[in-house]
Amino acid sequence: MANVVVVGAQWGDEGKGKLVDWLSERADVIVRFQGGHNAGHTLVIDKKIYKLSLLPSGIVRGGKLSVIGNGVVLDPWHLESEIAKLRGQGVTISCENLRIAENTPLILPVHSELDNVRESQNSVVKIGTTGRGIGPAYEDKVGRRAIRVADLADARTLETRVDRLLVHHNTLRKGLGLAEVDRGALLQKLKDIAPSVLQFAAPVWKILAEKQKSGSRILFEGAQGSLLDIDFGTYPFVTSSNVIAGQAATGSGLGPGAIDFVLGIVKAYTTRVGEGPFPTELDDEDGQRLGERGHEFGVVTGRKRRCGWFDAALVRQTCATSGVNGIALTKLDVLDGFKTLKICVGYELDGVKLNYLPFAADQQARCVPIYEKMDGWSESTEGARSWVALPANAIKYVRRIEELIECSVALVSTSPDREDTILVKNPFAD
């Protein structure tokens, strides 16, 4: 059976929630492999709305195993809150359908506090973080001072880990003019929350290896978008983890040979939340129209998303770095009624044409998009579930995108409803 990795191929908010839900119905195991509770997504099932930010999308479906892998940074208090909220909506959550890797690092109150203080005090360049402690938690992970899920099970180990963590953080906080962390209060908070987390703790790498051997279909669910990748994104305006498909292996403990298909989720236009370069951004009526029709506000933060034309040059890059086998094109219906559409096919930098976005920040700022114009369509595509239901110009638009990004379309989404999907190629097919 095929195992599928789903990644956002832009700056996030591409509509992964709906597509992951659509795929999760066909999968046996759904795995989160990076990010934290800063990446929200909305699922609409039988007209019931579920808002998730940490738990895998498969949790709302019976008979599926949901897994939080070691590549995630986990806020245990948010986990408890999100589980309680979903249980209140009638979702069953137990150690039978949710497992958390024992080596998953924790997000602590000190992390979110540091995140917010840094952003508020940074007068040079603001990154636009969500303030949820994601970055500082990853810093502690690579600094080898993180507290991990398994540490919650032993009081002596936990105290040692906290002491090591606070040597670093209290020194840092002193420089920022903050009071030292109350060691006793932090330890007590961790001891109090420990049972809520440990009931789900497991050697995830072993479980996934066994599931693979048994022929289970595994769906790896990415968060954010590839253009926010710590290495290949628009640095420093990026997230603190690797977002591209290769992270599915290291963030779960299942080797790269287990990945059979990489599905890149792509909006029919482009959006971005927060700071950073955005070559095709529209500060005009077209941009406002895209935002209003697409309801472009962040699920977690509520922040308004910046909107612009589709950038084929950038998506071609992310398809290459993630090894995308096919894309799912979402929100095609938002483009209904536009007389003229534009697609960015490259950039002009100081008189030189480029077919990619360079990494140097000063060069990115000087890149001027090169557009190709296409006729729009007046007919509605909303709710279309087959090619024949699409206007001719909409089909031409999709086909032109395929040519420019050098990757074929596997699915087309025409509304938030999970059934309003045109299936071109089933990613789970052998």
Side-chain angles (χ1 to χ4, degrees):
M1 297 294 184
N3 296 326
V4 177
V5 178
V6 175
V7 293
Q10 293 163 312
W11 277 293
D13 308 307
E14 301 96 347
K16 292 185 293 296
K18 169 191 166 175
L19 273 302
V20 168
D21 174 57
W22 189 90
L23 290 165
S24 68
E25 188 177 28
R26 294 150 179 82
D28 303 300
V29 183
I30 298 89
V31 184
R32 272 287 307 271
F33 60 86
Q34 53 79 219
H37 64 300
N38 57 334
H41 50 271
T42 302
L43 305 180
V44 182
I45 303 173
D46 296 329
K47 297 184 179 180
K48 196 167 185 178
I49 298 174
Y50 301 94
K51 292 185 180 292
L52 308 178
S53 55
L54 178 61
L55 293 169
S57 297
I59 200 69
V60 299
R61 296 197 166 277
K64 313 290 181 182
L65 175 63
S66 291
V67 170
I68 295 178
N70 57 278
V72 173
V73 283
L74 180 124
D75 183 321
W77 297 278
H78 177 87
L79 174 72
E80 187 177 56
S81 174
E82 191 168 323
I83 288 175
K85 183 178 180 180
L86 288 176
R87 282 175 173 164
Q89 292 183 273
V91 178
T92 299
I93 302 175
S94 71
C95 59
E96 297 299 316
N97 67 341
L98 175 64
R99 306 303 275 171
I100 301 173
E102 296 170 316
N103 51 338
T104 301
L106 300 181
I107 299 175
L108 308 177
V110 66
H111 293 134
S112 54
E113 185 177 2
L114 177 60
D115 209 357
N116 285 298
V117 168
R118 278 176 171 171
E119 190 77 353
S120 65
Q121 292 188 358
N122 193 346
S123 59
V124 179
V125 55
K126 293 187 182 297
I127 303 300
T129 75
T130 60
R132 282 161 171 76
I134 310 297
Y138 275 119
E139 288 177 38
D140 282 346
K141 175 183 178 177
V142 298
R144 294 168 292 184
R145 54 181 173 266
I147 296 170
R148 307 198 295 183
V149 168
D151 299 330
L152 296 175
D154 181 75
R156 182 173 296 180
T157 299
L158 183 60
E159 290 185 14
T160 300
R161 295 284 190 268
V162 166
D163 287 340
R164 178 175 172 80
L165 179 89
L166 294 186
V167 167
H168 171 80
H169 277 274
N170 282 333
T171 301
L172 188 60
R173 291 169 69 89
K174 183 177 181 180
L176 291 170
L178 301 175
E180 288 192 352
V181 176
D182 186 328
R183 177 183 182 274
L186 176 58
L187 275 169
Q188 191 58 53
K189 283 176 70 72
L190 287 168
K191 290 175 181 177
D192 290 344
I193 198 68
S196 296
V197 180
L198 289 173
Q199 63 180 308
F200 303 110
V204 158
W205 66 270
K206 185 174 183 292
I207 292 173
L208 293 179
E210 291 168 352
K211 290 291 184 181
Q212 184 193 11
K213 289 177 183 177
S214 68
S216 296
R217 288 180 170 180
I218 303 174
L219 176 64
F220 298 89
E221 177 185 0
Q224 290 100 23
S226 298
L227 292 171
L228 295 175
D229 185 272
I230 188 69
D231 287 308
F232 292 99
T234 47
Y235 191 91
F237 305 99
V238 293
T239 193
S240 300
S241 62
N242 285 112
V243 181
I244 59 175
Q247 177 65 16
T250 54
S252 67
L254 195 59
I259 298 172
D260 300 299
F261 192 96
V262 178
L263 180 68
I265 314 297
V266 181
K267 265 179 186 166
Y269 51 102
T270 310
T271 62
R272 176 166 198 170
V273 172
E275 308 297 325
F278 186 172
T280 66
E281 183 173 12
L282 296 171
D283 187 20
D284 58 14
E285 291 183 4
D286 284 337
Q288 183 176 350
R289 185 177 178 185
L290 287 171
E292 291 173 353
R293 287 179 58 87
H295 306 290
E296 297 297 350
F297 295 91
V299 174
V300 172
T301 63
R303 290 186 293 182
K304 183 178 179 181
R305 297 175 187 139
R306 300 152 64 190
C307 299
W309 296 120
F310 186 85
D311 193 329
L314 275 180
V315 174
R316 185 170 57 245
Q317 282 182 234
T318 58
C319 284
T321 55
S322 269
V324 173
N325 300 108
I327 68 164
L329 190 68
T330 68
K331 291 198 169 185
L332 183 66
D333 55 300
V334 173
L335 299 181
D336 292 353
F338 278 87
K339 184 177 181 180
T340 303
L341 300 173
K342 294 181 181 180
I343 301 176
C344 175
V345 297
Y347 315 98
E348 184 172 312
L349 174 62
D350 301 333
V352 178
K353 291 184 178 180
L354 300 175
N355 63 358
Y356 67 97
L357 188 68
F359 285 127
D362 63 310
Q363 294 181 359
Q364 289 178 348
R366 298 200 307 276
C367 279
V368 178
I370 300 171
Y371 286 117
E372 181 178 290
K373 293 183 180 180
M374 295 189 69
D375 291 332
W377 54 90
S378 57
E379 307 95 320
S380 174
T381 64
E382 185 175 359
R385 299 183 182 183
S386 66
W387 281 117
V388 295
L390 292 178
N393 281 350
I395 295 175
K396 289 179 182 177
Y397 182 77
V398 174
R399 294 306 187 197
R400 185 55 181 152
I401 284 176
E402 287 183 311
E403 293 173 356
L404 291 170
I405 67 175
E406 299 173 3
C407 189
S408 61
V409 168
L411 303 112
V412 179
S413 172
T414 56
S415 91
D417 191 308
R418 61 185 301 278
E419 298 303 327
D420 292 339
T421 304
I422 301 171
L423 177 63
V424 183
K425 176 180 173 55
N426 187 350
F428 278 122
D430 293 336

